[in-house]
Amino acid sequence: MNEFREYMAKKIENLTLRAVEHLAGDDHGEYVGDDLFMAMSARKFGKQFLLKGQPYRVDDGRVMRVLSGHAHSIINMEPHDLQASMLLVVPADSVFEIEEMDDEFDIQTFSYRELPKEALFKESTAFHLDVDDWLLTDEYFHLLWHTVNRQPLSLPSVRALQTALLSELHLIHNKENAEKKRHPISRKKDIFHRFTVLVNEYAAREHVIAFYADRLCLTPNHLGAVIREVSGQTVMQWIHRHIIQQAKLQLKYSDLPVWQIAESLNFPNPSFFSKFFKRETGMRPAEFRANK
């Protein structure tokens, strides 16, 4: 089984910068290269760039700054409501999906790689920026934009600016954490957060509520009640959401046969997996793959 997982990991393609360039086309007016992607407005890339209900695995880190509108996203099974004046940091090798967004939703974004460890964020992190912090990040984005458009491109200069911005974001994050300590998060929200972390790590193999309740030292009934109260969805809905997300990634980015995908997600047989996928998405796996 370990050998199969290694094989599967090699077969799944990431949303590389080359893939972004393919999605963008020739007339987007933004910067896409072999080592860097930056957009001052994602809407310039067209509707195909931000597709609802399509999970993507990003190979590089991303910083996203919300210019307008509203969207609901799931990043590594952690929900994030995105709206204007927010900033989001998405670590490398994350699974990102937009579930809903309005017509006004637009972001600025750039990719990053090979930055100092101390500048990186281990988890996806959303920032609600005040006026001063918003203006500060705006200055960084414009300075980065001017730098990436200078010829010849100096990646060391770009990465120095990215490192400086992420360092500022750590300071903002530390300030928010200090505020949270003065106003501690509720126990129920803490349980929900720890539950989503477990789902992200184990849901491809563990499909029963008792597993997660045991890990959290709760009864299944108590866990179910907390998750429904905090999120409005059941434990099984969260588990199924992760399974479908992983299935879509494999169907879209690999040529693995359906029976191997079913096996990797711990289904007893391909028929059971196919019925589950259709119940959740309205399509059989082969239909989804044909429409990718």
Side-chain angles (χ1 to χ4, degrees):
M1 182 59 69
N2 287 336
E3 290 79 9
F4 170 73
R5 288 180 182 173
E6 290 175 7
Y7 167 75
M8 183 182 68
K10 292 177 182 177
K11 294 296 288 184
I12 297 177
E13 298 175 13
N14 294 327
L15 186 57
T16 62
L17 300 186
R18 287 289 188 184
V20 171
E21 187 173 16
H22 176 72
L23 285 172
D26 297 326
D27 300 320
H28 48 77
E30 305 293 336
Y31 184 88
V32 183
D34 292 340
D35 297 294
L36 175 69
F37 160 55
M38 186 170 188
M40 295 298 277
S41 171
R43 294 176 71 176
K44 291 183 179 180
F45 287 82
K47 292 184 178 180
Q48 78 276 11
F49 186 67
L50 294 172
L51 295 177
K52 292 191 296 185
Q54 175 57 62
Y56 301 98
R57 179 179 286 120
V58 293
D59 56 342
D60 294 339
R62 300 284 194 276
V63 174
M64 304 178 188
R65 192 167 174 267
V66 184
L67 297 175
S68 61
H70 173 268
H72 181 72
S73 66
I74 300 290
I75 305 170
N76 298 330
M77 296 312 296
E78 188 79 21
H80 292 282
D81 280 310
L82 305 177
Q83 52 191 302
S85 299
M86 287 184 65
L87 185 145
L88 183 68
V89 179
V90 182
D93 199 31
S94 293
V95 176
F96 176 87
E97 178 178 355
I98 292 180
E99 290 197 320
E100 296 292 338
M101 64 178 172
D102 61 27
D103 292 337
E104 301 302 314
F105 185 65
D106 191 17
I107 61 172
Q108 294 175 333
T109 184
F110 64 79
S111 67
Y112 62 86
R113 63 171 66 163
E114 298 179 16
L115 300 186
K117 274 189 176 181
E118 58 270 18
L120 303 180
F121 284 80
K122 294 181 180 179
E123 297 180 353
S124 59
T125 307
F127 299 85
H128 297 266
L129 300 177
D130 61 25
V131 174
D132 286 340
D133 291 334
W134 179 258
L135 291 174
L136 178 66
T137 58
D138 185 64
E139 291 176 1
Y140 269 105
F141 263 79
H142 278 88
L143 185 54
L144 272 167
W145 180 243
H146 288 305
T147 304
V148 300
N149 281 281
R150 288 172 63 87
Q151 295 297 325
L153 174 65
S154 172
L155 283 175
S157 297
V158 170
R159 287 169 180 155
L161 287 169
Q162 292 175 333
T163 300
L165 173 55
L166 287 168
S167 297
E168 291 288 347
L169 293 177
H170 275 289
L171 293 176
I172 296 170
H173 190 50
N174 291 339
K175 181 175 65 176
E176 290 183 349
N177 285 340
E179 185 66 23
K180 287 178 182 177
K181 287 181 179 178
R182 288 193 288 270
H183 304 282
I185 188 172
S186 72
R187 172 169 165 74
K188 289 179 179 178
K189 287 185 178 179
D190 180 58
I191 289 172
F192 174 67
H193 172 72
R194 289 189 289 134
F195 166 71
T196 58
V197 171
L198 289 172
V199 169
N200 188 56
E201 184 174 358
Y202 294 107
R205 304 296 302 169
E206 302 291 345
H207 301 176
V208 296
I209 297 175
F211 172 84
Y212 302 93
D214 183 62
R215 286 286 180 130
L216 295 168
C217 301
L218 301 170
T219 66
N221 286 341
H222 183 50
L223 175 61
V226 169
I227 300 306
R228 181 183 285 276
E229 180 180 339
V230 174
S231 70
Q233 295 187 325
T234 68
V235 170
M236 291 310 301
Q237 282 176 312
W238 280 100
I239 295 171
H240 289 172
R241 173 184 285 182
H242 180 82
I243 295 169
I244 289 298
Q245 190 178 75
Q246 294 301 309
K248 284 181 176 180
L249 283 169
Q250 294 187 54
L251 289 166
K252 180 177 176 65
Y253 295 120
S254 82
D255 55 6
L256 290 173
V258 171
W259 71 265
Q260 284 189 334
I261 296 174
E263 182 179 311
S264 75
L265 295 172
N266 206 23
F267 282 87
N269 56 65
S271 177
F272 192 86
F273 167 67
S274 183
K275 290 177 182 177
F276 168 80
F277 191 89
K278 183 171 184 180
R279 187 183 75 223
E280 297 292 322
T281 68
M283 290 185 287
R284 293 192 178 278
E287 294 176 277
F288 179 85
R289 172 169 274 170
N291 290 329
K292 72 180 181 178

